[in-house]
Amino acid sequence: MATPQPVLAPPAKAAVFLVATVNPGGEEAVREALGDLAGLVRSVGFRSPEDGLTGVVGIGAAVWPRLFGGPAPRDLHPFRPLRGPRHTAPGTPGDLLLHVRAARMDLCFELTRLVGERLGGAVTVVDEVHGFRYFDERDLLGFVDGSENPQGAAAADAVLVADEDPEFAGGSYVVVQKYVHDMAAWQALPVEEQERVIGRSKSANVELPDDVEPDDSHVALNTIVDEDGTERQIVRDNMPFGTVGRGEFGTYFIGYARTPEVTERMLDRMFLGGPSGAVDRILDFSTALTGCLFFVPSADFLDDLPDPPTASVPVEAVPADALPAGAPGERTEAVPPHTLPVGSLGIGSLKGA
């Protein structure tokens, strides 16, 4: 198998999540930056190797044929927005994802800055989030996040493409969403009720017994089991973020998987309803503001990029609509990229959301 990018790096104390769209004519500069990423990581990380700096880059479906000739990864497609009976998961613009992790934010910032210099005017940054470790791997709701991640060989099997798409073996799919929390409403709940929403005990981080755990809990709806009894897993590397002055408090969800189908099944159950029809109660307190899907090619792929396409691929201009109209309880068509003004997410104030 090809050498993967460091998608399975251990949990870090700091992270930067950068999502950008590729401007028309910026394709060659992006290709050069993709090839430079490994060298930049080595250069910045050399200053403090014990702090474990890593950088992972993902590429979206719409920009793939603008960057590379030949086939695309088998399961790569735009993020599929969801309109549930009570909550929505919007699809938002995003051609490139940069996921930077380290034990120190200065290393994350420096690598992100250098990548930004390489990209220059070739891209427009549409979202940037600086995440931090919060106590013992907890989110801002006070619960441990990611404790059910598979480990070792099981993690690699859950995350890395293999013989099912041999040209892209060693790659991975990643879904990202930015959630903001209604902290006042959450903190008004007794701890026992918070535990029923999540499906785990708050202090001990133990899953609630089956006869106690509600079918609308976050844990229950994110447990995916096939008909043969096999549990399907992803690897999460979520991070809290926040700005006290603006009253913005949230969780940046990032889930790596061997196929996006597993993560999509989880989101379907959360937003559209699980086997009992119940939707995830956590969504009463956490609002999804963004949604993107990327393919993370192997490190070998980045070291030896395919030739560019022989003919230019036009960039379609479409209205800025973060979530198309659709009937409740259904997936809606994905929103193409390049739909928003430069530097805008089109979501207004996070506090207002």
Side-chain angles (χ1 to χ4, degrees):
M1 181 180 289
T3 303
Q5 292 190 63
V7 297
L8 295 176
K13 294 182 179 180
V16 173
F17 307 94
L18 195 75
V19 177
T21 54
V22 178
N23 298 328
E27 293 82 5
E28 185 56 36
V30 170
R31 286 175 53 90
E32 291 179 3
L34 292 175
D36 288 344
L37 178 61
L40 291 176
V41 173
R42 288 192 296 270
S43 296
V44 178
F46 181 77
R47 302 180 184 184
S48 184
E50 68 275 9
D51 288 315
L53 176 68
T54 62
V56 171
V57 64
I59 303 166
V63 81
W64 190 277
R66 295 168 55 197
L67 297 176
F68 312 117
R74 187 186 69 175
D75 295 331
L76 181 59
H77 56 260
F79 182 90
R80 295 169 178 166
L82 298 172
R83 185 181 296 276
R86 291 160 48 203
H87 307 287
T88 58
T92 50
D95 291 330
L96 299 174
L97 168 70
L98 179 64
H99 179 199
V100 180
R101 290 173 280 188
R104 292 164 41 185
M105 179 54 77
D106 59 340
L107 295 174
C108 296
F109 180 84
E110 181 68 0
L111 177 58
T112 305
R113 184 185 69 81
L114 291 174
V115 173
E117 282 186 353
R118 293 292 196 280
L119 292 169
V123 304
T124 296
V125 174
V126 293
D127 194 23
E128 179 176 354
V129 173
H130 293 204
F132 54 87
R133 180 177 176 178
Y134 190 60
F135 297 112
D136 50 337
E137 305 292 348
R138 294 181 184 266
D139 57 29
L140 295 182
L141 301 179
F143 285 77
V144 175
D145 198 355
S147 57
E148 291 300 313
N149 278 344
Q151 302 295 320
D157 185 63
V159 164
L160 300 179
V161 174
D163 294 341
E164 69 272 17
D165 195 6
E167 188 167 349
F168 296 99
S172 183
Y173 294 87
V174 61
V175 170
V176 297
Q177 293 177 292
K178 182 199 295 185
Y179 287 86
V180 290
H181 307 315
D182 184 343
M183 295 300 295
W186 178 254
Q187 291 170 348
L189 292 181
V191 170
E192 294 78 8
E193 191 63 22
Q194 292 180 0
E195 292 176 338
R196 290 174 58 82
V197 172
I198 301 298
R200 306 183 74 85
S201 63
K202 193 169 187 177
S203 60
N205 187 38
V206 176
E207 186 173 344
L208 300 181
D210 291 341
D211 59 346
V212 175
E213 182 179 82
D215 59 6
D216 64 352
S217 74
H218 187 62
V219 169
L221 289 170
N222 278 270
T223 302
I224 305 296
V225 181
D226 287 340
E227 294 180 357
D228 63 1
T230 302
E231 183 174 351
R232 305 290 296 279
Q233 294 182 299
I234 66 174
V235 171
R236 301 168 178 83
D237 200 14
N238 306 347
M239 293 289 274
F241 67 91
T243 304
V244 174
R246 293 201 299 266
E248 299 169 357
F249 306 99
T251 297
Y252 199 90
F253 166 78
I254 178 166
Y256 290 99
R258 184 168 175 167
T259 168
E261 185 260 344
V262 180
T263 312
E264 289 171 340
R265 285 173 64 182
M266 294 177 178
L267 294 177
D268 281 351
R269 288 161 62 104
M270 288 177 61
F271 286 86
L272 306 183
S276 71
V279 299
D280 197 332
R281 196 176 165 205
I282 191 65
L283 298 176
D284 292 341
F285 308 92
S286 299
T287 300
L289 300 182
T290 68
C292 297
L293 168 65
F294 305 92
F295 182 72
V296 177
S298 69
D300 294 347
F301 181 98
L302 297 180
D303 286 341
D304 186 16
L305 294 175
D307 291 335
T310 54
S312 61
V313 179
V315 180
E316 296 182 0
V318 296
D321 183 1
L323 185 69
E330 295 181 351
R331 284 192 178 276
T332 61
E333 291 300 320
V335 181
H338 314 294
T339 61
L340 298 179
V342 172
S344 171
L345 273 174
I347 56 178
S349 165
L350 298 185
K351 183 177 182 181

